[in-house]
């Protein structure tokens, strides 16, 4: 059964906490939320002024004192095309997040295990992504002051990244496709065990690149690091 919530105000701040399940952001004409498999006793959905909050009150998806959460919630959020949020805050346990376009001044994602896929991501102030285990994929966009920390998994970012950014992975792969003029970037890259390749040049150790104003520090523990500039 699907339930539809029509949003009455222009939402500027959205906060979602989901222990496990799926979240979809799609483009449309007006704000709306459709949710599936979300019993009222386990979730709280509130619209207050320009704020939308969706909170998961479950303790987890395991059997606890005879109760088992054996359903998988789905949240589908329609966002007007060209809309800009002030802040997007997402916290998930084991979940998948899929988005056509996310545009916000601030983005905060805390993901225990799962996947984050966004076709276009635009963040003007600061973006923070913390992933315990999983995958992060950004297809295109412009992200200012990006901070990513991943315990285990893969990071695939294709975007213009400006300001001062930090990307750290414990075990896994980092793939960066940096859009824009390569002369606008500078990078400091270090790694433990694995292969490092920057614009076709391979190094067994760390590497520094460029003197541009947009600096990226990349740190990898075990795994490969690839940094490329598609516009070269």
């Amino acid at each position: 059964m699907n339930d539809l919530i029509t949003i009455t105000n222009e939402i500027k701040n959205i906060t979602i906490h989901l222990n496990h399940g799926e979240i979809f952001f799609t483009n449309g004409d007006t704000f709306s939320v459709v949710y599936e498999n979300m019993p009222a006793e386990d979730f709280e959905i509130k619209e207050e002024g320009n704020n939308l909050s969706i909170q998961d009150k479950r303790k987890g998806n395991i059997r606890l004192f005879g109760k088992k959460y054996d359903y998988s919630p789905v949240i589908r959020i329609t966002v007007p095309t060209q809309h800009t949020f002030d802040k997007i805050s997402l916290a998930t346990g084991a979940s998948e997040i899929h988005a056509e376009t996310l545009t916000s001044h601030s983005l905060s994602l805390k993901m225990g295990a799962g996947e984050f896929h966004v076709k276009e991501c635009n963040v003007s102030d600061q973006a923070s992504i913390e992933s315990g285990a999983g995958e992060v994929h950004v297809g295109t966009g412009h992200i200012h002051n990006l901070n990513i920390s991943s315990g285990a998994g893969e990071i695939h970012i294709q975007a213009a990244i400006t300001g001062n950014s930090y990307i750290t992975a414990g075990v896994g792969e980092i793939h960066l496709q940096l859009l824009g003029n390569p002369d606008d970037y500078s990078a400091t890259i270090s790694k433990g065990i694995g292969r490092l390749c920057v614009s076709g040049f391979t190094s067994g150790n760390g590497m520094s690149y460029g003197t541009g104003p947009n600096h990226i520090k990349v740190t990898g523990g075990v795994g490969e690091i690839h940094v490329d500039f598609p516009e070269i």
Side-chain angles (χ1 to χ4, degrees):
M1 178 179 178
N2 298 347
D3 291 283
L4 170 66
I5 297 178
T6 300
I7 305 301
T8 57
N9 296 313
E10 180 185 23
I11 300 301
K12 301 301 291 182
N13 302 295
I14 185 167
T15 301
I16 300 177
H17 169 228
L18 184 66
N19 283 329
H20 72 94
E22 295 177 283
I23 302 171
F24 296 88
F25 288 88
T26 59
N27 300 333
D29 296 326
T30 59
F31 276 107
S32 67
V33 177
V34 174
Y35 58 93
E36 307 168 21
N37 303 324
M38 292 173 58
E41 67 271 18
D42 292 334
F43 294 87
E44 182 179 65
I45 302 175
K46 293 194 301 184
E47 179 191 357
E48 295 181 343
N50 300 116
N51 303 311
L52 176 65
S53 172
I54 302 174
Q55 298 293 327
D56 188 342
K57 297 186 291 184
R58 299 171 300 167
K59 299 300 182 182
N61 64 340
I62 60 175
R63 186 178 296 277
L64 182 64
F65 302 117
K67 182 175 182 179
K68 181 181 180 182
Y69 300 109
D70 56 359
Y71 54 86
S72 182
V74 178
I75 302 171
R76 302 182 189 275
I77 301 170
T78 301
V79 179
T81 304
Q82 305 300 323
H83 178 74
T84 299
F85 290 100
D86 285 339
K87 183 174 183 179
I88 299 172
S89 180
L90 309 173
T92 66
S95 302
E96 292 187 13
I97 302 172
H98 299 267
E100 292 183 8
T101 304
L102 291 180
T103 300
S104 180
H105 297 303
S106 173
L107 169 66
S108 173
L109 168 63
K110 295 182 178 181
M111 182 172 64
E115 299 181 10
F116 177 68
H117 296 264
V118 55
K119 293 181 180 179
E120 181 177 350
C121 185
N122 300 296
V123 180
S124 59
D125 291 342
Q126 184 170 6
S128 174
I129 299 175
E130 298 179 26
S131 172
E135 299 181 9
V136 175
H137 294 261
V138 175
T140 190
H142 187 149
I143 305 174
H144 190 67
N145 293 334
L146 173 63
N147 191 334
I148 296 181
S149 176
S150 173
E154 297 183 9
I155 299 171
H156 298 261
I157 306 288
Q158 178 170 283
I161 300 177
T162 56
N164 294 304
S165 300
Y166 303 87
I167 299 174
T168 303
V171 179
E173 298 182 4
I174 301 174
H175 296 263
L176 300 180
Q177 298 275 333
L178 301 178
L179 304 181
N181 189 340
D183 293 338
D184 291 337
Y185 289 98
S186 59
T188 304
I189 306 169
S190 59
K191 68 175 188 63
I193 301 173
R195 182 169 174 260
L196 169 61
C197 183
V198 179
S199 278
F201 295 96
T202 302
S203 172
N205 301 306
M207 181 184 295
S208 295
Y209 172 91
T211 58
N214 301 308
H215 184 70
I216 304 174
K217 182 177 181 180
V218 181
T219 304
V222 179
E224 296 188 356
I225 300 175
H226 298 264
V227 180
D228 292 294
F229 300 90
E231 299 187 17
I232 290 181

